[in-house]
Amino acid sequence: MSARDLIYGEAELDSQEEDESFDEETGEVRRKARGVNGTNGHFDDSSEEEDDDDDEEAAAAVRKDFIVEDEEEPEERERRRRERKKRRREEREEEEAGLDEEDLDLIGEANPDFERRAPSQPKLKRLKRGHKEDRDVQRRRGVDDIFDSDEEGEDDFRNQRQSHRADPRNLQDEFADFIEEDFDDRDGVVDDDDADVARPVGRTYTDIREAAGLDEVALEDMREAFGDGNDYDWALDIQDREEDGEQRLLDSEDPEALAKGLELKDVFEPSQLAERLLTDEDNDIRAADVPERFQVARKPFKDLVLTAEQFKEESVWISTRIWDQKKKKMDPDLKDHFRKAVAKVLEFMVVDEYEVPFIFQHRKDYIIHGERRAITPDPDNPGAPDHEMKAVKLLEQSELWKIFELDLKFRALIEKRNALSDTYKKLQDTAEFRDEIFEEMLPAADTIEELQDVQDYLHFQHASRLADLAALNASSATNGVHRRPGSSKALFERIRNSNVYGLVRAFGITADAFAQNALKQGRRQFTEDPSDRPDDLADKDHIMNPPDYTSGAQCLRAAKAMFVEEIFVSPKMRKVMRQEYYIDGVIDCFRTDKGLRRIDENHPYYDFKYLRNQPIREFGARPDLFLKMIRAEEEGLVEIKIRLDNAESFKKKLYGEIESDNFSEIADAWNRERRDVLDMALLKLNKTMARLVKENLKTGCEDEVALRCREEFSRRIDQAPYKPKGMQLGTVPKVLAISNGAGAFNRDAVCWAYVDDDARVLDNGKFTDLFIGDPDRGQSDGVDVERLVKIVEYREPDVIALSGWSAETRKLYKVLEEIIERKDLRAKVFDADDPGRTDRLEIVIVNDEVARLYQTSPRAAMEHPGFAPLTNYCVALAKYLQNPLKEYAALSKDVISINMDPAQSYVPQEKIFKQLETAMVDMINIVGVNINDAVVDPLIANFLPYVCGLGPRKAQQLLKVINLNGGTVANRAELVGDSDQQRLGAVGPRVWSNCSSFLYIEFDASEQDSDYLDNTRVHPEDYDLGRKMAADALELDEEDIEAETSENGPGAIVRKLVRDEQQDKVNDLILEEYAEQLEKNFNQKKRATLENIRAELQTPYEELRSHFALLSSEEIFTMFTGETRESLHEGMVVPISIKKVGEDYIEARMDCGIEGTVAAIEISSRPDVLPKHLFQQFQTVQAKITYLNRKTLAAGFSLREEELRIPERKDYDRIPGEWDDSQERADKESMKEKNDVSGRTQRVVKHPLFRPFNHAQAQEFLGSQARGDVVIRPSSKGEDHLAVTWKVSDNIYQHIDVLELGKSGQFSSGGAYKVGGKYTYTDLDEMIVNHVKAMAKKVDEIMMFEKYQNGTKAETGMFLLPPPPTFACLFPSIKSLT
């Protein structure tokens, strides 16, 4: 046993039941004996006495497999069991009642008179050897064992890691029987270090009231809110019985069931177990030696096995779909090589079960095509090669993920095809028949849509047979694809079995033959005309089928309906229609009556309000537009219609395929009937195709937007840490982060945090007086300027990180720049030639999307419980600058809340997260994970679920087993276990092959077992190649190699290369010869692998990420203001708040925080009137933006009325014919006349915020606006009333009734405005600023408060409830594992 086994993070108790026992008569605690004969082989402690109690002897006998005769009566045994149960319950209640220092501190936060306890002083401890009892008895597996591995040794390790709360009745050291205390015998005083380790005295409920100042009422409220801790007494009672050796009763309803121990699923809800990945299915995933992502993705197809023919078909199926997207960018001559590459990648995924990162890193040679091309010899260099190699990458890494996705789709295709094939075979078993159309179309169907067509055909054509088959075996006969025939199918079945079907045959061509003509496949099928007219033939006796059909007209209608349905369900005809729609289909968008009012020119949906004749193929480049149209249709604002652009010409072409070529009166009559049939069939087909095309187009647009999100996310995580000057890429900087958040500079506090290069927060604070003085005017610097200088000089940060979410942050940036310049603050430049070199300290404006999520997150509260949210924000800025990838990985599923694309909100979150996850997997496997750091650092452990072959479940298992093995990994081979070294296997061989090269162990030259290659991207399967290259670089012969390896192990050659600093010699090796020999002798392509080995031998795990990306001016503008180029630009009319009125200028501020000026010429068209006579301070007015600097956040405005009257005109790039201008003009005219809802004349108020809305329309309009935005609208209370609607929060609006006073006429505005009967304002702007905006500001303050909960009443109630008991609270034996 090592020290690591005894110490794990902090001192923890061993199990109390192993250290103590109770005298069954007196209840006194006595110590158990531990001697040299124990499992640990430790000597007896001098402070412990041997106990010869009968129960101890009985327990020892049981451990030796003896049977102890029970000499007690049943009544006595039951009495003693009840006493033990009562003692345990009392101990638990007292233990739960006790509060430690942290509990008292938390309670004291709400009590102003509470004084925080002073921390106890540390004292010295001397560790002694731990102990454990004999465990030869085989225990039943129950809740305590739910996480146990089958391997030996886990129980011992877990018991060493348990910790129990101290006895609340007396001061008890957590290391009782584990740590010997050093006392000063001379003065009787305990060492100060001991007081720090000992847990404080437990307290009863009386102690709680005394310590926290709670009375009985407050204590009762606390019990009601957080419970009394007895919710799981029933489970604890069962556990007590099991500990006493009793078994659970058998289920009376299942007498054959075996008695089993209490399990987690018996105690916790399935949703709780699923959330923590503790279900049986999760355990199966952990145990299976298959990459976790493969298991999860292929779960629906786990029983599907592809045949060799299907596997070949799949490679062609996938390569065809990817090639169609790449053929414009690649040489057509590479098509065959591309197909072979796809087939090989598919083999790696399906047969070898390698994940994408492994294939891209270690099978790269199979996705690269190399050609040897002759070159002109160089006469000046006779030894130069006469050829060169040209390599072309056939597949990108993102396309490997596409292959994986298409593999899943193909499996779904095969599964459905197999099901249909089985159904058809069973039909043939019950009735002798053959359907040539089905047998032809089933293997030819290569999409789910085409298979669905075949299935519809089968259920239509053989409805009666399927009904008979279902009657024989309703559950399994049809393999899950049978559907009960509906009434319409029964009708068509009667027609098919009647004489009327002869009239269907009389049409002279079958539906399949007609569809074959339309597809232009095979030989043309000609239509034959009967000898009778349609009506005459229908009246004949051999056609009549009384009593169902008693007239010729009925027979003809039935025959036409049957023929229409046959054309409609024909798989070939549907294929014709589908192809035509994708080639010539167009989309029209029509506004609804609801959309007429709600979609105005400022609405985001106005871009397609009158869109017409938009080709379907154009939406591939504009997926966001179609997704917005779908959202608008879901909201009932527009209606999307899909049709064929050339419908009439297409119909005429089909007429020619179904009509006969004869010229006669009979032929004309039959052709008219055929055209009628085709018209009816096309109506049904158009309706079905429009729906299917819309669904497919929506899915394709969602996939395209999700891929765009992936590309953007890949760009954001492809950032190395900010590089200090003079250091290598990948070096972590020391960061001083500063931010004012949303506060006003020099009015609100500025928070800061210093984070060192180990990501530790060493210092933090606030600045309240940070400004540069003006010596010329006698103004001195703010007191915090000197503080900042001292912090920089003492901490020596490499960079200052700055960010915020207000335009005021720009002022803070300028002040910091000036302080750095005036005070000459400098940072060290790491220069080997000039160790004392420094450079001006740099300020970096950091992307704060992660920091905004972190500042109020549970993770921030756990890591820094005493920090203010803005301080947490600064911490996150610093850590983002140090390692963006680590911060994004820590977000887990919350990363979906970060906006990657404007259309992201229109795509299901699951689809977005799936793409973001693949991007994270790619990048983390490029960077690699130090497995030993991941064991001790939770933030690095966040990387493990994304490692190739792993996932959340296997990552948990990996960490658990590593801890069981001692907490460290010496080499990669240990991960699969080593029985000689008593190492448990953390992963199986197949998962290990996937993940081993992406988990690295730092090389330690002082450790003999440390392998240099374990610190590289070289896969263990290629270690021999690396060692061979090292030996050749050192020019060692076979004898030298054998001598070196026999003495120092297989890694000795590489160690020697590194020790002698001869890594550069590998550049002299000719890798072409190595690659040729490997391919010739072993049929392995390793050219790219050899290059990778050469690079890793020189620089192991070199930083391959791009340099830290500085934000552009546009990105900073959006981050500080919340505005984009579309939402704020020159020419817009916006409300501004006047800050200062000068003699010839006005200073103003927009709602987004941008400040600007109004020049004298732009104030008014009357130069003789002074500005102060027209405007006053704090007044809100409408202004037009004449100038906007997005870098400096400065603007210019115009208040001239003639400028404000010129409406903003948006430039639309529309193709003629794609916009219904006439409908647009007609709608605008109708909106001007009258209100469509009330029918009365529309009230118009001359104010930019006025809208002719009712309350529902106002809410709809404000739904996409920011919090605090306002709409002024007509009121239903009369002509002297107005209504003001403002957005309080999402889906929360307030409607304010405003009474107009002093109106001179029906349509005039009031001279004053009264709100609520007591607040009067002179104009609407004053009312909005002083009433509505004032309330909005209070709402912002409330929502920014740290204790604000953004949820429903029910969710807030759940937040106030006590957290559900963890597994560790209920079952101490598994605490360390959960």
Side-chain angles (χ1 to χ4, degrees):
M1 177 180 296
S2 65
R4 184 178 300 277
D5 296 323
L6 300 177
I7 303 175
Y8 182 73
E10 60 180 359
E12 296 178 341
L13 277 176
D14 202 349
S15 175
Q16 281 184 341
E17 280 126 16
E18 297 177 16
D19 294 328
E20 301 174 354
S21 64
F22 292 89
D23 190 296
E24 294 182 346
E25 299 296 334
T26 65
E28 295 179 352
V29 179
R30 59 170 176 259
R31 316 304 303 178
K32 289 186 179 180
R34 293 182 295 272
V36 293
N37 295 328
T39 304
N40 285 347
H42 295 162
F43 290 95
D44 292 342
D45 191 282
S46 59
S47 63
E48 299 169 357
E49 298 179 359
E50 182 177 355
D51 192 321
D52 295 326
D53 185 77
D54 294 339
D55 287 345
E56 289 293 311
E57 294 177 357
V62 170
R63 286 194 296 270
K64 295 180 180 178
D65 295 327
F66 286 107
I67 299 176
V68 180
E69 297 292 341
D70 191 352
E71 300 176 356
E72 296 176 329
E73 295 297 329
E75 294 81 2
E76 179 67 16
R77 187 168 61 254
E78 177 64 21
R79 182 188 65 80
R80 297 177 66 174
R81 189 193 67 77
R82 286 198 300 267
E83 289 178 355
R84 289 196 299 272
K85 174 182 175 183
K86 181 179 179 182
R87 284 198 299 271
R88 290 193 185 101
R89 184 181 299 278
E90 290 175 352
E91 291 166 9
R92 282 197 296 266
E93 291 176 352
E94 292 176 353
E95 180 181 351
E96 292 165 359
L99 297 178
D100 58 17
E101 291 182 4
E102 294 181 358
D103 296 331
L104 294 174
D105 290 345
L106 290 174
I107 296 176
E109 290 181 358
N111 185 2
D113 299 328
F114 175 76
E115 294 184 3
R116 191 178 300 274
R117 293 168 57 98
S120 57
Q121 298 298 321
K123 62 182 180 180
L124 296 175
K125 287 284 182 185
R126 183 171 68 246
L127 294 181
K128 68 177 182 181
R129 291 188 179 184
H131 63 276
K132 56 183 177 179
E133 297 293 326
D134 250 333
R135 291 185 177 84
D136 296 334
V137 163
Q138 181 68 26
R139 294 185 294 111
R140 223 169 35 255
R141 293 179 63 87
V143 178
D144 292 341
D145 312 298
I146 194 66
F147 291 103
D148 290 356
S149 176
D150 292 335
E151 292 87 344
E152 298 179 356
E154 292 189 35
D155 292 333
D156 296 343
F157 183 85
R158 182 176 60 257
N159 289 329
Q160 293 170 13
R161 298 268 304 280
Q162 294 179 19
S163 68
H164 289 249
R165 299 184 65 167
D167 186 350
R169 294 167 294 187
N170 43 67
L171 180 61
Q172 180 177 342
D173 194 313
E174 284 190 318
F175 279 155
D177 298 331
F178 191 67
I179 300 177
E180 294 180 351
E181 301 179 356
D182 287 338
F183 296 95
D184 191 336
D185 296 336
R186 292 172 295 179
D187 52 24
V189 178
V190 181
D191 284 350
D192 291 339
D193 289 342
D194 277 339
D196 187 53
V197 178
R199 189 180 289 272
V201 175
R203 291 171 174 79
T204 63
Y205 286 115
T206 304
D207 296 328
I208 297 174
R209 292 196 297 272
E210 293 176 355
L214 298 177
D215 55 16
E216 286 289 349
V217 176
L219 189 59
E220 185 63 27
D221 291 340
M222 184 183 71
R223 288 172 181 163
E224 291 180 359
F226 300 103
D228 57 4
N230 296 325
D231 295 340
Y232 290 92
D233 278 356
W234 62 272
L236 294 169
D237 181 49
I238 295 175
Q239 194 175 37
D240 289 341
R241 290 176 179 270
E242 292 182 353
E243 291 174 356
D244 292 337
E246 299 182 14
Q247 292 188 347
R248 298 175 63 188
L249 296 177
L250 293 175
D251 189 348
S252 58
E253 299 181 359
D254 187 10
E256 296 181 358
L258 296 176
K260 58 181 180 180
L262 188 66
E263 297 182 357
L264 287 177
K265 61 185 177 183
D266 299 327
V267 181
F268 296 98
E269 293 292 334
S271 59
Q272 292 177 293
L273 296 177
E275 181 182 357
R276 293 167 175 82
L277 305 178
L278 297 175
T279 64
D280 293 339
E281 181 181 344
D282 295 320
N283 293 330
D284 292 340
I285 293 176
R286 288 188 185 91
D289 186 21
V290 179
E292 182 170 331
R293 273 175 288 275
F294 281 2
Q295 294 188 62
V296 174
R298 294 172 179 170
K299 176 184 173 183
F301 321 110
K302 60 181 179 181
D303 297 326
L304 177 66
V305 178
L306 298 179
T307 64
E309 293 76 11
Q310 290 172 341
F311 189 77
K312 292 179 181 178
E313 179 188 357
E314 180 180 9
S315 65
V316 176
W317 188 83
I318 292 177
S319 61
T320 300
R321 278 152 179 77
I322 300 180
W323 178 259
D324 290 341
Q325 302 173 359
K326 290 178 64 75
K327 60 185 179 182
K328 295 181 180 180
K329 304 177 183 178
M330 294 190 68
D331 187 347
D333 295 336
L334 296 176
K335 184 175 182 179
D336 291 339
H337 299 290
F338 176 81
R339 288 183 180 275
K340 292 178 181 179
V342 171
K344 199 65 181 178
V345 169
L346 198 59
E347 179 185 339
F348 291 145
M349 288 183 179
V350 176
V351 179
D352 299 329
E353 292 186 324
Y354 290 142
E355 274 208 275
V356 168
F358 178 93
I359 297 172
F360 189 76
Q361 179 70 21
H362 303 298
R363 298 293 184 267
K364 188 176 294 185
D365 295 271
Y366 293 92
I367 60 176
I368 295 176
H369 174 63
E371 291 184 357
R372 177 177 295 189
R373 296 186 177 182
I375 58 176
T376 304
D378 184 0
D380 298 331
N381 188 7
D386 58 353
H387 67 277
E388 63 178 0
M389 294 297 298
K390 182 181 179 182
V392 179
K393 186 181 291 186
L394 300 174
L395 289 166
E396 300 291 341
Q397 191 164 6
S398 60
E399 291 168 335
L400 299 184
W401 287 109
K402 183 67 174 178
I403 293 175
F404 176 62
E405 181 182 347
L406 289 174
D407 172 59
L408 299 177
K409 291 184 178 180
F410 185 80
R411 288 170 182 265
L413 181 77
I414 292 299
E415 187 176 56
K416 189 174 183 68
R417 183 192 293 175
N418 291 345
L420 286 173
S421 179
D422 292 342
T423 301
Y424 181 67
K425 290 178 181 177
K426 290 176 181 177
L427 285 177
Q428 288 183 315
D429 293 339
T430 59
E432 292 294 334
F433 77 98
R434 183 181 180 189
D435 191 322
E436 295 182 356
I437 297 176
F438 180 87
E439 293 177 0
E440 176 189 355
M441 296 304 299
L442 181 63
D446 63 351
T447 65
I448 291 293
E449 293 81 5
E450 293 181 0
L451 277 179
Q452 186 62 44
D453 295 342
V454 176
Q455 178 175 323
D456 292 343
Y457 168 81
L458 181 68
H459 285 277
F460 170 76
Q461 199 70 24
H462 306 285
S464 62
R465 293 188 177 96
L466 286 170
D468 296 339
L469 185 61
L472 294 175
N473 191 346
S475 61
S476 62
T478 57
N479 202 10
V481 298
H482 174 67
R483 299 179 305 181
R484 178 176 295 180
S487 59
S488 62
K489 288 185 173 58
L491 172 63
F492 294 126
E493 195 66 21
R494 289 199 302 271
I495 296 175
R496 184 182 291 111
N497 296 327
S498 68
N499 296 335
V500 177
Y501 195 71
L503 195 57
V504 177
R505 296 193 189 96
F507 277 88
I509 189 171
T510 64
D512 182 69
F514 160 63
Q516 182 175 327
N517 290 342
L519 270 177
K520 306 297 183 184
Q521 289 183 351
R523 189 174 60 179
R524 174 180 171 81
Q525 303 294 317
F526 294 95
T527 305
E528 299 294 336
D529 293 321
S531 58
D532 297 318
R533 292 172 55 88
D535 48 355
D536 294 338
L537 184 60
D539 289 332
K540 292 187 177 293
D541 294 339
H542 69 278
I543 296 297
M544 289 283 190
N545 192 32
D548 294 335
Y549 305 101
T550 58
S551 67
Q554 283 184 326
C555 293
L556 186 58
R557 283 197 300 269
K560 291 171 67 175
M562 184 69 183
F563 197 24
V564 167
E565 195 68 17
E566 288 182 342
I567 294 175
F568 173 69
V569 300
S570 170
K572 293 181 180 178
M573 191 62 205
R574 290 190 178 185
K575 186 174 184 178
V576 171
M577 297 297 296
R578 191 177 291 111
Q579 290 176 353
E580 193 68 20
Y581 264 86
Y582 283 122
I583 295 173
D584 292 321
V586 294
I587 293 179
D588 297 329
C589 188
F590 297 91
R591 55 97 184 134
T592 62
D593 292 339
K594 183 180 178 181
L596 172 63
R597 286 189 164 276
R598 297 193 180 182
I599 304 178
D600 61 10
E601 292 187 359
N602 296 320
H603 200 282
Y605 295 161
Y606 195 79
D607 291 344
F608 51 81
K609 185 177 182 180
Y610 303 102
L611 189 66
R612 304 286 191 271
N613 303 319
Q614 186 71 21
I616 291 176
R617 59 181 178 274
E618 297 294 333
F619 286 101
R622 301 179 64 189
D624 52 326
L625 177 62
F626 185 75
L627 293 178
K628 282 201 294 185
M629 293 169 62
I630 292 292
R631 180 65 59 85
E633 187 177 45
E634 293 172 353
E635 296 173 2
L637 302 180
V638 300
E639 182 182 1
I640 301 173
K641 294 184 178 180
I642 301 179
R643 58 179 176 83
L644 287 175
D645 189 27
N646 56 346
E648 289 301 321
S649 62
F650 176 67
K651 185 189 295 185
K652 290 179 180 179
K653 184 174 67 174
L654 292 180
Y655 284 163
E657 305 297 344
I658 198 172
E659 293 177 345
S660 70
D661 298 332
N662 300 325
F663 296 95
S664 66
E665 183 179 351
I666 294 176
D668 292 341
W670 277 105
N671 285 337
R672 283 194 298 270
E673 298 299 335
R674 294 176 185 123
R675 286 194 292 268
D676 288 344
V677 167
L678 183 57
D679 290 343
M680 290 186 288
L682 287 177
L683 285 176
K684 298 187 68 173
L685 285 168
N686 283 327
K687 184 177 179 180
T688 301
M689 288 299 113
R691 175 177 56 83
L692 295 176
V693 169
K694 182 190 290 187
E695 292 175 357
N696 291 340
L697 183 58
K698 177 186 176 184
T699 301
C701 290
E702 288 175 349
D703 293 341
E704 181 63 28
V705 171
L707 286 175
R708 292 184 181 182
C709 293
R710 183 189 191 280
E711 292 174 1
E712 175 60 23
F713 187 54
S714 298
R715 185 187 67 82
R716 298 187 190 184
I717 61 179
D718 185 18
Q719 298 183 80
Y722 174 85
K723 186 175 76 69
K725 294 182 179 179
M727 295 297 289
Q728 290 184 350
L729 186 65
T731 304
V732 177
K734 297 178 293 184
V735 184
L736 176 64
I738 304 176
S739 177
N740 64 324
F745 182 63
N746 273 338
R747 190 176 66 189
D748 298 319
V750 174
C751 290
W752 61 273
Y754 172 76
V755 182
D756 71 351
D757 51 4
D758 289 331
R760 296 177 301 168
V761 182
L762 299 185
D763 205 353
N764 70 92
K766 294 182 178 180
F767 297 134
T768 57
D769 191 16
L770 191 67
F771 69 92
I772 291 292
D774 188 349
D776 298 336
R777 297 183 180 181
Q779 293 180 345
S780 59
D781 296 340
V783 295
D784 286 328
V785 173
E786 188 61 28
R787 284 186 58 209
L788 174 61
V789 173
K790 290 182 178 179
I791 291 170
V792 172
E793 292 176 348
Y794 174 66
R795 294 296 182 183
E796 297 183 346
D798 298 313
V799 64
I800 292 179
L802 175 69
S803 196
W805 58 94
S806 72
E808 295 286 322
T809 307
R810 186 73 192 182
K811 297 180 182 179
L812 177 59
Y813 177 81
K814 299 300 292 183
V815 169
L816 290 175
E817 270 193 334
E818 191 172 357
I819 292 175
I820 291 173
E821 182 178 357
R822 288 194 183 185
K823 303 299 181 180
D824 194 26
L825 300 182
R826 310 184 73 82
K828 288 184 178 180
V829 176
F830 299 91
D831 190 344
D833 298 331
D834 185 6
R837 180 186 169 192
T838 60
D839 204 346
R840 185 68 56 85
L841 187 61
E842 186 177 0
I843 305 174
V844 175
I845 298 178
V846 183
N847 187 341
D848 72 338
E849 59 189 9
V850 176
R852 294 196 192 193
L853 295 174
Y854 175 81
Q855 60 179 334
T856 56
S857 67
R859 174 190 160 207
M862 179 184 66
E863 293 178 351
H864 311 292
F867 285 12
L870 189 55
T871 305
N872 284 326
Y873 177 85
C874 293
V875 171
L877 292 179
K879 291 186 177 181
Y880 185 92
L881 201 64
Q882 291 179 334
N883 195 337
L885 181 62
K886 184 185 293 187
E887 296 307 302
Y888 281 114
L891 292 177
S892 187
K893 290 189 176 181
D894 290 339
V895 72
I896 197 68
S897 60
I898 296 177
N899 187 33
M900 306 291 173
D901 188 272
Q904 180 176 336
S905 60
Y906 304 123
V907 182
Q909 289 191 354
E910 296 79 10
K911 188 171 289 188
I912 296 290
F913 181 75
K914 184 178 178 181
Q915 292 294 336
L916 301 186
E917 183 183 26
T918 62
M920 185 70 75
V921 169
D922 288 346
M923 190 53 59
I924 285 179
N925 285 281
I926 288 175
V927 175
V929 181
N930 186 323
I931 185 59
N932 287 319
D933 287 349
V935 173
V936 297
D937 188 343
L939 288 181
I940 298 180
N942 290 329
F943 285 179
L944 290 179
Y946 303 101
V947 171
C948 180
L950 302 182
R953 301 163 188 82
K954 288 188 178 295
Q956 290 178 355
Q957 180 76 2
L958 177 69
L959 293 176
K960 171 188 170 183
V961 175
I962 291 176
N963 283 318
L964 291 174
N965 287 337
T968 58
V969 179
N971 55 69
R972 286 170 171 168
E974 285 186 5
L975 295 176
V976 289
D978 187 346
S979 57
D980 296 337
Q981 299 290 332
Q982 295 185 349
R983 295 277 181 171
L984 302 176
V987 293
R990 183 160 292 180
V991 173
W992 181 80
S993 293
N994 275 276
C995 71
S996 57
S997 63
F998 306 107
L999 302 174
Y1000 64 88
I1001 299 110
E1002 289 187 0
F1003 175 67
D1004 185 356
S1006 62
E1007 291 289 339
Q1008 185 67 25
D1009 295 336
S1010 182
D1011 194 329
Y1012 180 85
L1013 293 176
D1014 282 340
N1015 191 35
T1016 68
R1017 292 184 174 91
V1018 180
H1019 194 278
E1021 69 179 9
D1022 297 320
Y1023 278 9
D1024 289 341
L1025 290 177
R1027 291 161 183 164
K1028 171 65 175 172
M1029 291 172 62
D1032 290 348
L1034 293 173
E1035 299 180 356
L1036 301 178
D1037 55 24
E1038 294 294 335
E1039 295 179 356
D1040 296 333
I1041 296 174
E1042 184 178 356
E1044 190 73 28
T1045 54
S1046 61
E1047 181 178 355
N1048 299 314
I1053 302 301
V1054 179
R1055 291 170 65 94
K1056 177 177 176 58
L1057 181 75
V1058 176
R1059 184 177 61 250
D1060 298 344
E1061 298 182 355
Q1062 302 289 324
Q1063 295 99 315
D1064 291 342
K1065 286 189 174 182
V1066 296
N1067 292 324
D1068 300 332
L1069 300 177
I1070 302 176
L1071 300 184
E1072 289 292 342
E1073 297 179 359
Y1074 280 78
E1076 290 175 359
Q1077 292 178 8
L1078 288 171
E1079 187 168 6
K1080 179 180 179 181
N1081 298 331
F1082 303 101
N1083 196 26
Q1084 295 180 352
K1085 293 183 178 182
K1086 292 286 186 178
R1087 180 65 180 85
T1089 302
L1090 294 172
E1091 286 288 354
N1092 178 57
I1093 296 174
R1094 174 156 62 184
E1096 292 297 317
L1097 286 174
Q1098 297 178 80
T1099 309
Y1101 258 101
E1102 181 183 7
E1103 180 61 73
L1104 299 180
R1105 287 174 289 180
S1106 304
H1107 286 264
F1108 187 86
L1110 300 179
L1111 296 178
S1112 64
S1113 298
E1114 193 70 30
E1115 291 171 328
I1116 295 174
F1117 175 83
T1118 299
M1119 185 172 66
F1120 285 171
T1121 66
E1123 304 286 352
T1124 64
R1125 190 170 290 275
E1126 291 75 23
S1127 65
L1128 190 68
H1129 52 81
E1130 296 177 359
M1132 290 185 65
V1133 177
V1134 296
I1136 61 173
S1137 177
I1138 297 177
K1139 295 178 58 181
K1140 181 180 179 180
V1141 180
E1143 292 294 329
D1144 56 354
Y1145 70 95
I1146 292 176
E1147 294 182 358
R1149 175 190 177 99
M1150 288 189 282
D1151 288 340
C1152 64
I1154 296 178
E1155 297 180 353
T1157 59
V1158 184
I1161 193 174
E1162 297 293 344
I1163 294 176
S1164 173
S1165 57
R1166 297 176 57 189
D1168 56 321
V1169 180
L1170 295 177
K1172 63 182 179 180
H1173 294 158
L1174 297 174
F1175 304 99
Q1176 58 186 356
Q1177 190 178 13
F1178 306 124
Q1179 182 181 359
T1180 300
V1181 296
Q1182 296 296 310
K1184 175 173 283 190
I1185 301 176
T1186 59
Y1187 164 76
L1188 182 61
N1189 190 319
R1190 298 177 181 272
K1191 184 176 182 180
T1192 61
L1193 303 186
F1197 307 107
S1198 175
L1199 300 174
R1200 295 165 62 92
E1201 293 185 3
E1202 56 269 26
E1203 288 290 332
L1204 297 178
R1205 282 196 291 265
I1206 302 175
E1208 177 193 1
R1209 301 192 64 86
K1210 295 183 179 180
D1211 296 329
Y1212 295 102
D1213 185 16
R1214 298 191 180 110
I1215 300 175
E1218 293 186 357
W1219 192 259
D1220 195 340
D1221 298 293
S1222 60
Q1223 184 65 52
E1224 183 181 27
R1225 287 192 299 268
D1227 287 348
K1228 288 182 178 179
E1229 290 296 329
S1230 65
M1231 290 294 293
K1232 290 180 180 179
E1233 294 177 358
K1234 289 187 176 182
N1235 188 309
D1236 293 337
V1237 177
S1238 62
R1240 56 186 172 85
T1241 303
Q1242 176 65 51
R1243 171 82 186 274
V1244 178
V1245 176
K1246 189 178 181 181
H1247 193 279
L1249 298 180
F1250 178 82
R1251 295 286 188 278
F1253 292 161
N1254 58 27
H1255 76 282
Q1257 292 169 335
Q1259 292 181 188
E1260 182 73 22
F1261 174 77
L1262 292 172
S1264 59
Q1265 307 298 316
R1267 190 169 62 238
D1269 283 1
V1270 182
V1271 164
I1272 303 172
R1273 58 183 179 84
S1275 174
S1276 60
K1277 293 187 176 182
E1279 298 171 352
D1280 59 346
H1281 285 260
L1282 286 174
V1284 174
T1285 301
W1286 70 284
K1287 183 176 181 179
V1288 182
S1289 185
D1290 292 339
N1291 301 319
I1292 302 176
Y1293 308 91
Q1294 184 184 24
H1295 304 282
I1296 303 173
D1297 177 41
V1298 180
L1299 177 63
E1300 294 182 276
L1301 304 177
K1303 288 173 63 72
S1304 59
Q1306 178 181 358
F1307 301 108
S1308 63
S1309 299
Y1313 301 88
K1314 179 171 286 190
V1315 179
K1318 55 182 178 179
Y1319 304 108
T1320 304
Y1321 304 98
T1322 57
D1323 58 26
L1324 291 173
D1325 290 327
E1326 181 185 3
M1327 180 200 66
I1328 291 173
V1329 173
N1330 295 333
H1331 191 86
V1332 179
K1333 294 296 183 182
M1335 288 191 293
K1337 183 178 180 181
K1338 293 296 183 183
V1339 171
D1340 288 340
E1341 292 175 355
I1342 292 173
M1343 297 183 74
M1344 291 300 295
F1345 188 62
E1346 60 182 359
K1347 295 187 181 298
Y1348 173 77
Q1349 290 295 315
N1350 187 16
T1352 63
K1353 183 178 179 180
E1355 292 170 346
T1356 305
M1358 293 298 296
F1359 171 78
L1360 293 174
L1361 291 176
T1366 62
F1367 305 110
C1369 294
L1370 185 55
F1371 308 108
S1373 63
I1374 60 173
K1375 177 178 180 181
S1376 61
L1377 298 182
T1378 57

